[in-house]
């Protein structure tokens, strides 16, 4: 997948996202993903979830889609700016997710999840970044091979 979320975490009760820096004896040192990053120690009492392990419920046979794949679909479709106004309502969030992931499970994915998804998307875009699709590399090598043979 074009985005690596293995070191990005959400901590229950704290807004924003955090980059896992290194483990300690009693927890993990994390750095906030914001303009002025702050370091803190997330201890065992904090509920921490790595974004790489989070998925969105779907109604297809797979049952879920990894968050990284949803972010990638959002980035491919909309780039840096999602089609939401200044004060989007619940229907705006539902339409956005239905547009990106038509098979999402409407009964198990709540609007609060969608709001978090949008918020996290912008943080990941700004502080983690999206990589270019890897499919372009083999095509470029094939083109180079044709030029060398000519």
């Amino acid at each position: 997948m074009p985005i690596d979320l293995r070191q990005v975490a959400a901590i229950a009760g704290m807004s924003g996202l955090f980059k896992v820096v290194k483990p300690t004896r009693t927890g993990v040192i994390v750095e906030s993903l914001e303009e002025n990053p702050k370091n803190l120690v997330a201890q065992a009492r904090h509920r921490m979830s790595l974004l790489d392990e989070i998925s969105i419920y779907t109604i297809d046979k797979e049952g879920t889609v990894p968050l990284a794949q949803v972010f990638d679909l959002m980035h491919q479709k909309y780039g840096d700016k999602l089609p939401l106004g200044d004060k989007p309502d619940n229907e705006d969030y539902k339409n956005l997710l239905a547009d990106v992931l038509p098979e999402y499970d409407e009964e198990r994915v709540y609007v609060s999840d969608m709001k978090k998804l949008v918020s996290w998307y912008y943080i990941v875009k700004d502080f983690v970044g999206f990589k270019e699709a890897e499919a372009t590399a083999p095509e470029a090598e094939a083109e180079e091979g044709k030029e060398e043979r000519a």
Side-chain angles (χ1 to χ4, degrees), residues 12 31 46 58 60-61 68 97-98 116 125 130 132 144 150:
E31 179 181 87
H46 293 110
T58 61
D60 62 6
K61 66 178 181 168
L97 191 55
K116 200 177 295 186
K125 176 187 69 72
F130 291 90
E132 292 299 318
E144 287 175 15

Side-chain angles (χ1 to χ4, degrees), residues 15-80:
S15 63
L17 295 175
F18 300 85
K19 176 182 168 195
V20 176
V21 178
K22 66 180 181 178
T24 67
R25 286 185 313 133
T26 60
V28 179
I29 297 175
V30 294
E31 179 181 87
S32 60
L33 294 176
E34 55 190 14
E35 290 298 321
N36 298 314
K38 299 171 189 75
N39 287 348
L40 63 112
V41 176
Q43 299 175 346
R45 64 183 165 91
H46 293 110
R47 277 194 357 230
M48 189 169 84
S49 301
L50 294 174
L51 265 57
D52 191 47
E53 298 172 354
I54 297 175
S55 297
I56 302 291
Y57 290 114
T58 61
I59 54 174
D60 62 6
K61 66 178 181 168
E62 296 295 319
T64 62
V65 173
L67 187 62
Q69 188 175 343
V70 175
F71 282 161
D72 188 42
L73 291 169
M74 293 169 75
H75 184 70
Q76 287 175 12
K77 188 157 185 98
Y78 299 113
D80 291 345

